[in-house]
Amino acid sequence: MADDMYSEPKPMSAHEKAAILFIALGGDYAAKVFAHMDEEEIEAITLDIANNKQVSIEKKNMVISEFYQLMMANDYISTGGLEYAQSVLEKALGAEKATDILKRLTTSLQVRPFEFLRKTDPSQLLNFLQNEHPQTIALVMAYLSPDQAGIVMSGLSIDSQSDVAKRIALMDRTSPDVIREIERVLERKISSLSTQDFTSAGGVPAVVEILNRVDRATERAIIESLEVDNPELAEEIKQLMFVFEDIILLDDRSLQLVLREVDTKDLALAMKATSEDVAEKIYKNMSKRAADMLKEEISYMGPVKIRDVEEAQTKVVNVIRTLEDKGVIVIVRGGGEGMLV
């Protein structure tokens, strides 16, 4: 019994540490992080937060310090690779601590494959990849940032664009052995993956992220080719290309043109479950009388099915895409400026 009283404290689980970190961050910042997590993680961490009625300063500082060290190590890896991160961390924290941090980082957070290419200029990357097999190009692009991948996609030939887009969309899981072999071909010196777990990349969301950043002509050519080759895949991609919440990306003049074409009842239903930012953007581009009437219609609507809301939002999005296809408006893409033509 006496031995138990003086035993070492039980190590904290990842969820316990996350709960303490969220407590330290405060409600506003914690909510922003929760927005990027799945329901199971949120539920587990929320339970730990509820059970942590009091957290000592020592424990809070320890968790914050560990989090900072992991993020610092991750930044070093992104900047110069594992060897660079190891060197810098050893100088700052000592060899044992550096090894421990990198081991935890690479096994739990995982270092993304092709990290060395994410710092490469996209135009050079295009020259580097364009003669590779389409499957190799698709695999590499799936791990690039959407901005990089969009530039590379725009520079490929028309035939290659649709082929690569299809391969990215249909990609599911790739063996680490395959990734390592491609990395060895693309770079002589590359750090080997630290785990044998299969790694996920690609899929329809990945190709949508890329297409959202290419020019409209490139996007249209790829979609039209996919409509012939794989109509169901093309339709799934089109549905994700521009969502209702993306209205906030439209310039005021473009949004005003859209609102003229949208049925008021559809708009009211579509706004029943949207963010304050989107609602404010819409109201700002209406006359006060029209905005008041829209708010009144929404308030009188009462509870509605989420399926009906989504259908109404799709109708609004279809109006936006139709106006874009006609050249009436231009949607902001890849950080460019929206404009009227």
Side-chain angles (χ1 to χ4, degrees):
M1 186 75 172
D3 289 341
D4 291 339
M5 292 177 60
Y6 296 101
S7 61
E8 290 292 324
K10 183 182 177 182
M12 288 185 288
S13 68
H15 283 150
E16 288 174 321
K17 291 178 182 178
I20 292 173
L21 180 63
F22 282 133
I23 291 170
L25 287 173
D28 290 341
Y29 287 108
K32 291 179 180 179
V33 179
F34 272 149
H36 299 280
M37 298 171 64
D38 61 45
E39 291 184 4
E40 282 189 19
E41 290 176 323
I42 293 174
E43 184 177 336
I45 292 172
T46 301
L47 184 61
D48 278 320
I49 291 175
N51 290 330
N52 270 292
K53 294 182 172 61
Q54 286 187 329
V55 181
S56 67
I57 295 295
E58 292 78 9
K59 188 178 287 188
K60 188 183 296 185
N61 288 341
M62 183 186 72
V63 170
I64 292 173
S65 177
E66 181 178 336
F67 174 74
Y68 173 74
Q69 290 171 353
L70 286 172
M71 293 303 98
M72 183 172 61
N74 191 46
D75 185 53
Y76 291 152
I77 291 173
S78 299
T79 301
L82 280 171
E83 290 184 6
Y84 172 77
Q86 181 83 33
S87 174
V88 174
L89 289 173
E90 282 183 1
K91 291 177 181 177
L93 305 171
E96 186 177 345
K97 186 71 172 176
T99 301
D100 178 59
I101 290 172
L102 289 176
K103 183 178 179 181
R104 277 184 290 146
L105 189 64
T106 54
T107 55
S108 61
L109 300 181
Q110 294 189 356
V111 180
R112 286 179 63 86
F114 306 106
E115 194 66 46
F116 68 101
L117 291 179
R118 292 168 68 86
K119 297 293 182 180
T120 305
D121 180 81
S123 60
Q124 294 179 345
L125 196 52
L126 174 61
N127 293 331
F128 190 57
L129 290 174
Q130 60 185 352
N131 294 323
E132 296 292 331
H133 188 280
Q135 187 63 30
T136 299
I137 299 174
L139 178 61
V140 174
M141 286 178 62
Y143 284 102
L144 297 177
S145 70
D147 286 328
Q148 275 185 311
I151 294 173
V152 172
M153 181 72 86
S154 297
L156 296 174
S157 67
I158 298 297
D159 291 340
S160 294
Q161 287 173 347
S162 59
D163 190 7
V164 169
K166 180 177 68 175
R167 289 170 186 270
I168 294 173
L170 297 177
M171 191 182 299
D172 183 16
R173 292 177 180 270
T174 306
S175 164
D177 292 334
V178 173
I179 293 176
R180 279 201 297 269
E181 182 59 31
I182 294 174
E183 283 181 323
R184 288 191 189 102
V185 172
L186 298 181
E187 188 188 48
R188 292 180 181 178
K189 195 174 183 181
I190 186 71
S191 299
S192 62
L193 299 177
S194 60
T195 71
Q196 289 298 313
D197 292 335
F198 278 59
T199 176
S200 299
V204 172
V207 80
V208 168
E209 285 284 343
I210 294 170
L211 292 181
N212 274 333
R213 287 164 171 79
V214 302
D215 58 273
R216 179 61 172 151
T218 299
E219 177 205 316
R220 186 183 289 111
I222 292 173
I223 292 296
E224 288 175 354
S225 178
L226 287 175
E227 284 175 336
V228 174
D229 189 52
N230 193 328
E232 292 182 1
L233 177 61
E235 185 58 33
E236 186 177 357
I237 290 172
K238 284 194 294 184
Q239 288 177 359
L240 295 176
M241 283 296 296
F242 187 97
V243 296
F244 184 76
E245 285 71 20
D246 291 333
I247 280 177
I248 201 167
L249 302 177
L250 296 176
D251 63 85
D252 290 345
R253 178 61 177 163
S254 294
L255 181 53
Q256 290 163 18
L257 292 171
V258 170
L259 293 176
R260 292 179 190 174
E261 303 294 325
V262 174
D263 183 274
T264 304
K265 291 183 179 180
D266 288 335
L267 182 60
L269 185 54
M271 292 177 63
K272 189 68 177 176
T274 192
S275 67
E276 291 183 9
D277 289 341
V278 173
E280 183 181 349
K281 174 87 171 180
I282 291 173
Y283 292 138
K284 189 181 78 169
N285 284 282
M286 305 175 73
S287 67
K288 186 178 184 306
R289 181 172 177 275
D292 288 341
M293 290 177 63
L294 180 59
K295 291 176 183 177
E296 187 174 344
E297 183 157 353
I298 293 173
S299 65
Y300 286 154
M301 196 175 294
V304 294
K305 295 179 180 178
I306 189 65
R307 181 182 61 200
D308 294 335
V309 173
E310 290 174 348
E311 288 179 359
Q313 290 181 348
T314 299
K315 289 180 180 179
V316 177
V317 169
N318 287 339
V319 169
I320 293 171
R321 292 193 63 81
T322 298
L323 291 177
E324 187 190 22
D325 286 337
K326 291 179 178 178
V328 178
I329 65 173
V330 173
I331 299 173
V332 176
R333 295 175 185 280
E337 293 295 327
M339 55 180 288
L340 297 179
V341 295

